[in-house]
Structure formats: C-alpha cells, structure tokens
Amino acid sequence: MSKPTITVIVPVYKAMATLDRCVESIVSQQTEEPIACILVDDGSPDDSGKMCDVWAARDPRVTVIHQEDRGVSGARNAGLAAAGSEYIVFLDSDDALRPGALQAALDAQRRAPHSLVCWQYTTEEADTAPVTSAAESRPQTGLARLWLDCLLAMPWNKLYRTEYAQQVPFDTQYTLGEDLQFVLDYIALLGSREPAFTYTILTAPLTFYDCSRGGTLSTRYHADYCKIWPEHFAKLNKACCNARCPQEDMRPLHRAELTVYAEGVADILRRDPAKRAAVRRDKAIAALRSPWLHALLERMRIERCYSAYYLPCRWRSVRLIFTLAEAKRTGSPMFGKLDWAGYYLLGGRLRRD
C-alpha cells in the first residue's frame, strides 16, 4: 500500500455501539489520494478492541494499536507517533465523517497551502447539507472569533500537518479541556514556522458530532474544574493577545470565559460530593477568590464589558451565581430578569455586545 496522504486517528474506549459507524465513515471516503486509519484501543474492557481487529483484517488501510488505558490524550498521542502521512485528522469513536469530507479538506488545503484548514460540524446524523470545499479565509487576528464560533476548542475539525502535530503531543496531565491546549500549541508552532499563515474555514459541515453524550457540566463532576479552566483561558487569552485580536472579539470572549467559570462554581454547589452544604459553599467561595477571576473581572471593567455573572462574581455571591446558572440551565425567565437587573444596577453603562 502506498504512503497515505491523510491518516485518521480514532481513540477507542467502550465504543461498541458506535465504532462500526465511525470506521465505516472513514474507509468509505472517496479520495484522490490514499488514506489510512489508526484505531487506538485504549484498554477497552469490552469487545471494542476485538472489533478494531476485525476492521484491520477486513481493510489493509486500517491498523490497530492496543495499549493499557492511558486516557483519550494518551490514545491520540499513540496514534500521532505511529502516523506516517502528510496530514492527520482526529475523529472520536462515537462521531463520523460525512461522505466527501477528507477530499473537501484536502482540496481546501491545496488551494491555501499556508493555512490551517478547519470546518463546521453537524449534530444531525442524516444532515443533507452538501459537502464541498467552499471556504472563507480568516486572518490570524480571528483567533478569538474561532472560539466564539465554536471552531477552536475541539481537535477533530481540523487538518493538521503531521510533522508539526507530532511535535506538540496532547498533555496527558489534563482530563478536561486538553483539546484546547493541543490546538493552541499547534497554532503557536504553525505560526513560528509559517508566520503568514491564515485560517481556512470550510462552510460545509464535514463531521457528524454525536452530542447525545452531553457537555462537560452535564456528564460528570470535575473537582478541579475551577482550577483547570483558568489555566486554559490564560493560555487562550495570551494567544489572542499575540494574534492582536480586536476588542470587539475580546469582549465576548471574556464574557464567555466568565460564564464557563461561574457555571463551574455553581456546579460545585450542585454536585460536589461533600455531604454538608456548608462545605460545598466554602469550596465555591474559595473558587471565587481566584486571582485569575479577579484579573478577568478587572479586564472586563476596563473594557466596560457586561455579563449577567459580573456582579455576582464581584460580590462573591454563590447564591446569586447558582440561581442564575440554574435559571439558564432550565430555561427559566428568571435568568433574563436577573441579567437586566444587574445591567441597570451598573447604570446601563457597560457593553452587552
């Protein structure tokens, strides 16, 4: 078999229900250049590893790595180290590539060789939107906008140069938000090697993202949530500063960061395993004393950037934060009432854009 142009890396763990759909979406891709698929069985306790072996026996483009459970980052790193292609695409075992996705990404890359190719995704498995290589170009100053458009934080909607990606492996110390760290490290390396690079954003959704698994706060409780996200956001903000992102993008970025953090504080009250409510409350108040949070609130004050969580975090009012977060989570009109109440308490002088 000739050397592949693109390798799709799939970490596999307890994936029996969706693995066939995932791998079928890869091997059925119609491409002008050869592709490969690396399945990394990360110590699956079920028969996922055997299913991987069946696929490898069926299709010579599929190879399997079996390893002890090292987590999703360790699995992706094993696939990275084994890849020998020009480009890499990541795919989770419960997701799928849409027909024509790899060729569309490759066509866009060939047209814009000094770019990072990214694409939209769909949460509809039967989405009929046409897959094309039509794309828009964004400058490096658009980094914050990528986050706001939900295009930055995930690793599976981008085409990576293998030689660069292998130099910035996933940081296995993180079990939350590690994807953002990898993407930012890759962008920093790309910028150092190709200073004039741009972002090429395909307008078609190329990946089916199975959102039935839920989001971070709706799946399991993370005790270090309010420690880890400030580290990620500090790195993101530094990258955006280096990219000279405009203020009209930085304000909503900071607002989004405050929302993520405040909802993490609320989750301490909601799901921390401490039996006593007073202990959970003390943990939440301790999180509100974070130097990173203080610096973010001060930056928002200077930017005159308003958020419904701005005053509750300033006041360290865990009750207000929890009430807001619960109202938002349940779709209660109370969120809007408290939002506007805070805005007018500040004289209506801060920006809501």
Side-chain angles (χ1 to χ4, degrees):
M1 186 177 69
S2 58
K3 179 179 178 180
T5 301
I6 300 178
T7 297
V8 182
I9 297 172
V10 183
V12 178
Y13 186 80
K14 292 184 178 180
M16 292 178 62
T18 57
L19 184 61
D20 283 343
R21 179 184 67 186
C22 174
V23 182
E24 179 63 37
S25 78
I26 299 169
V27 300
S28 62
Q29 292 286 310
Q30 298 295 315
T31 57
E32 297 173 359
E33 300 179 51
I35 67 171
C37 172
I38 298 178
L39 304 176
V40 184
D41 168 30
D42 195 43
S44 291
D46 58 7
D47 286 337
S48 295
K50 294 180 181 178
M51 293 176 66
C52 292
D53 290 336
V54 170
W55 273 106
R58 183 187 307 172
D59 193 315
R61 297 172 298 174
V62 178
T63 59
V64 182
I65 297 173
H66 295 284
Q67 64 181 32
E68 295 182 0
D69 185 1
R70 299 178 186 172
V72 64
S73 291
R76 287 176 177 148
N77 285 343
L80 263 176
S85 53
E86 184 179 1
Y87 297 103
I88 282 173
V89 169
F90 292 105
L91 188 65
D92 288 347
S93 58
D94 50 355
D95 297 338
L97 290 173
R98 298 188 64 221
L102 295 183
Q103 189 62 55
L106 190 58
D107 287 346
Q109 185 71 77
R110 299 305 193 206
R111 287 200 307 268
H114 301 292
S115 68
L116 173 57
V117 173
C118 311
W119 52 85
Q120 307 286 345
Y121 61 92
T122 179
T123 58
E124 300 293 332
E125 187 173 0
D127 197 322
T128 59
V131 173
T132 72
S133 61
E136 62 171 306
S137 179
R138 298 188 189 182
Q140 293 182 36
T141 55
L143 179 60
R145 179 53 52 184
L146 290 181
W147 168 273
L148 296 169
D149 290 344
C150 297
L151 291 168
L152 181 65
M154 63 285 285
W156 41 258
N157 69 329
K158 301 171 181 71
L159 185 64
Y160 303 95
R161 292 168 173 80
T162 303
E163 64 172 316
Y164 294 168
Q166 289 175 334
Q167 297 177 51
V168 288
F170 288 83
D171 191 335
T172 57
Q173 72 170 316
Y174 290 109
T175 58
L176 178 67
E178 67 278 1
D179 297 346
L180 177 61
Q181 289 275 347
F182 171 80
V183 173
L184 291 176
D185 286 341
Y186 181 86
I187 288 173
L189 179 61
L190 181 62
S192 69
R193 300 295 177 84
E194 302 181 28
F197 85 92
T198 58
Y199 299 103
T200 294
I201 312 300
L202 278 76
T203 55
L206 303 190
T207 301
F208 161 62
Y209 172 67
D210 189 350
C211 62
S212 62
R213 56 189 164 184
T216 297
L217 287 181
S218 63
T219 50
R220 64 184 179 89
Y221 177 70
H222 293 268
D224 294 332
Y225 185 95
C226 290
K227 172 182 177 295
I228 292 174
W229 273 112
E231 295 175 5
H232 295 330
F233 285 146
K235 188 168 187 171
L236 173 59
N237 291 340
K238 182 178 179 181
C240 289
C241 180
N242 291 339
R244 299 181 181 179
C245 296
Q247 281 301 306
E248 55 263 34
D249 288 345
M250 294 305 296
R251 284 191 300 272
L253 174 63
H254 291 153
R255 186 180 296 114
E257 291 173 350
L258 182 61
T259 297
V260 169
Y261 193 83
E263 291 179 353
V265 172
D267 208 44
I268 295 174
L269 299 174
R270 184 186 302 117
R271 296 197 293 178
D272 188 88
K275 294 181 179 179
R276 294 175 54 203
V279 175
R280 295 195 298 271
R281 182 177 180 276
D282 288 345
K283 288 183 179 180
I285 291 175
L288 292 173
R289 296 194 182 103
S290 161
W292 174 85
L293 176 61
H294 176 77
L296 176 64
L297 292 170
E298 182 62 17
R299 171 52 54 189
M300 292 177 69
R301 184 190 68 80
I302 293 170
E303 295 172 337
R304 300 178 63 220
C305 174
Y306 177 72
S307 163
Y309 291 108
Y310 179 82
L311 281 178
C313 287
R314 277 280 190 196
W315 295 339
R316 296 177 183 168
S317 173
V318 293
R319 176 177 294 183
L320 263 178
I321 292 171
F322 183 78
T323 301
L324 276 164
E326 280 295 287
K328 181 180 178 183
R329 186 175 67 89
T330 60
S332 168
M334 180 60 69
F335 181 87
K337 294 177 181 179
L338 291 173
D339 180 9
W340 284 103
Y343 180 70
Y344 288 118
L345 273 174
L346 289 166
R349 296 187 303 272
L350 301 188
R351 305 181 63 138
R352 298 181 65 91
D353 62 337

